[in-house]
Amino acid sequence: GILVAYYQLRAKHNKLISDYVISAIAFFMFFGTRFFVEFIKNNQVDFEENMTLDMGQWLSLPFILCGFICVGFAIRESRKAKQA
């Protein structure tokens, strides 16, 4: 719903809609939520007892990093559009 609302708001004001920004928002929402939910969730397997971060958190980190990379591409794309 948030992504659709963002898309419609940008389209309503005739502003450039970057696919990278949409992707970054999706990565941050999905995997950021998963990262924080893992703090309150019970451990599923015994080997997670001594880990500082749960396995779900470790698996979410690369996708959160992908969100930051998408933001970087969106900024670069925006700068190229302003120069043209």
Side-chain angles (χ1 to χ4, degrees):
I2 292 171
L3 292 174
V4 171
Y6 173 76
Y7 182 83
Q8 289 177 344
L9 181 67
R10 298 290 287 189
K12 180 180 176 183
H13 296 292
N14 294 327
K15 297 201 178 191
L16 178 66
I17 301 166
S18 173
D19 292 335
Y20 294 116
V21 173
I22 299 287
S23 298
I25 292 171
F27 279 126
F28 289 140
M29 285 186 348
F30 297 144
F31 294 103
T33 302
R34 179 182 178 186
F35 185 85
F36 290 111
V37 165
E38 291 287 332
F39 280 116
I40 59 173
K41 185 177 77 68
N42 291 332
N43 291 336
Q44 293 177 326
V45 289
D46 293 332
F47 74 86
E48 288 183 343
E49 292 295 328
N50 297 327
M51 297 173 67
T52 50
L53 296 177
D54 290 345
M55 188 57 65
Q57 291 170 318
W58 284 111
L59 294 173
S60 296
L61 287 176
F63 292 101
I64 293 171
L65 178 64
C66 287
F68 283 112
I69 291 170
C70 286
V71 169
F73 280 126
I75 291 170
R76 191 176 77 182
E77 184 180 80
S78 173
R79 287 182 182 163
K80 283 183 182 179
K82 287 180 182 178
Q83 291 176 354

